[in-house]
Amino acid sequence: MAEHTLPLNAIRAFLAAARHQSFTLAAQELNVTHGAVSRQIKNLEDYLGMPLFERRIRQVLLTERGRQFFDEASPALDMLAGAARRVMRDAPTRTVNINVRPSFAVRWLIPHLAGFVERYPGIEPRVVTSTAIVSRAPAPFDIAIRRGETNWPESLKVQRFMEDELLLVASPALLKQTPLADARAIAEHTLLLSRSRRGDWEEWKKLAGLKRSKQQPMLHFDHVHFVLQAAVDGLGLALSPVSLADNDLRSGRLVCPLPELRLPLAPYYLGLGAQAGAEAQLFAKWLAENRVIS
């Protein structure tokens, strides 16, 4: 056996793959690529000097040694994770301040926060919402998230965070009542519109090859999260960034009836303050691991 540091990340990838009997499902659980899981497991096999999986077409099976390693390593890693959580819980509370727009907070960040709190119980995330550009934020912050790469202060370390697209969404009950076979059938529906994204329907209709119609019934709301709630309640069709509809799409509260009609949107960027501490660094790392959307 090689005399170097035990590859804990590789063991984590192995345990996920062993539970699912699939590198693909392990990649989905860990929010990484199939190739990354495959490389991590190959590194672990090289470290141990033996194969852990029998690779077959569209299937992987644990070898005898792989099964033995899984049975012993799984509870050991759980013990380490438990010990870390207990130590962090007993330590003085640390905080990380995150500045985001209200819709992103309600529709993406907050539904994901439970995972961060579970992993880092000693760190308290404090979410501050603001519609102002980052340079005019009303309160200090450690991390900011906004669309686009403009209007960022030079003092921040800015990195591309998450890709996004605009798509049509509706409640399953509404579509059952009034089916949507193609884009032209939106004429039979009420359209939900956010004042913060006024041009979305016009751009989407251009993509779908539809003409503007002044007769189309519409309901107007201030923010996208109100539009999405109205869509969940069956009040009409909505256009939403995938990022903001992601939680509702995963739960089945909303569906996308015309998935081929998507418009690319400006990606999200993450700005990390120059004086950001270890807590902010951990939060930024956790964000990167959880940025996959539907």
Side-chain angles (χ1 to χ4, degrees):
M1 182 185 297
E3 294 297 325
H4 53 74
T5 305
L6 187 66
L8 291 178
N9 284 337
I11 293 174
R12 185 169 171 240
F14 163 76
L15 293 176
R19 281 195 305 274
H20 294 293
Q21 295 286 284
S22 165
F23 288 7
T24 299
L25 294 178
Q28 292 175 6
E29 176 186 323
L30 301 173
N31 287 319
V32 298
T33 65
H34 179 283
V37 169
S38 181
R39 287 191 296 274
Q40 289 279 23
I41 291 173
K42 181 64 169 61
N43 290 341
L44 180 60
E45 290 176 327
D46 290 343
Y47 178 88
L48 297 172
M50 65 187 69
L52 299 172
F53 286 100
E54 180 184 341
R55 276 86 166 165
R56 298 183 181 179
I57 299 175
R58 297 183 180 178
Q59 186 181 22
V60 291
L61 299 174
L62 285 168
T63 63
E64 182 180 350
R65 293 294 187 186
R67 171 59 62 184
Q68 178 186 353
F69 187 69
F70 175 76
D71 290 342
E72 297 186 24
S74 186
L77 206 60
D78 288 342
M79 289 178 63
L80 285 174
R85 286 193 294 269
R86 288 189 293 274
V87 167
M88 286 189 287
R89 264 197 301 266
D90 295 337
T93 300
R94 298 175 291 165
T95 62
V96 54
N97 296 299
I98 310 107
N99 181 294
V100 294
R101 291 179 64 88
S103 292
F104 187 83
V106 171
R107 290 286 168 177
W108 193 91
L109 183 58
I110 291 173
H112 284 77
L113 271 184
F116 178 82
V117 173
E118 181 181 1
R119 186 183 299 185
Y120 303 107
I123 301 176
E124 177 188 331
R126 295 181 179 176
V127 180
V128 179
T129 62
S130 171
T131 57
I133 61 174
V134 174
S135 60
R136 296 178 182 174
F141 60 84
D142 301 303
I143 290 176
I145 299 172
R146 291 289 190 280
R147 283 196 191 278
E149 53 185 333
T150 59
N151 298 318
W152 288 93
E154 293 184 0
S155 59
L156 298 186
K157 181 181 179 183
V158 180
Q159 62 193 59
R160 199 175 179 109
F161 165 46
M162 187 167 64
E163 307 302 318
D164 208 358
E165 296 174 308
L166 188 77
L167 80 170
L168 183 71
V169 296
S171 74
L174 178 68
L175 295 178
K176 184 177 180 180
Q177 177 184 339
T178 309
L180 197 70
D182 55 39
R184 290 172 297 179
I186 69 169
E188 305 298 321
H189 289 267
T190 297
L191 305 186
L192 308 176
L193 178 67
S194 164
R195 291 187 176 91
S196 61
R197 301 192 59 89
R198 294 176 182 272
D200 283 352
W201 276 110
E202 184 176 347
E203 291 300 315
W204 188 88
K205 286 181 178 181
K206 287 180 183 178
L207 176 67
L210 300 176
K211 296 180 180 179
R212 296 181 64 181
S213 172
K214 294 183 180 180
Q215 305 302 318
Q216 186 84 45
M218 303 187 80
L219 291 176
H220 295 259
F221 299 87
D222 285 337
H223 299 290
V224 177
H225 54 275
F226 297 146
V227 167
L228 286 168
Q229 186 58 54
V232 168
D233 291 337
L235 295 181
L237 303 177
L239 289 175
S240 171
V242 181
S243 58
L244 303 187
D246 184 58
N247 201 44
D248 290 315
L249 290 168
R250 291 180 185 273
S251 69
R253 290 188 293 268
L254 292 175
V255 295
C256 177
L258 301 172
E260 70 280 3
L261 294 175
R262 296 180 176 228
L263 284 168
L265 294 174
Y268 286 100
Y269 283 77
L270 180 153
L272 196 63
Q275 304 302 318
E279 298 82 9
Q281 299 286 349
L282 286 172
F283 194 83
K285 180 177 180 291
W286 172 82
L287 282 171
E289 293 172 353
N290 288 273
R291 62 188 172 187
V292 178
I293 58 176
S294 300

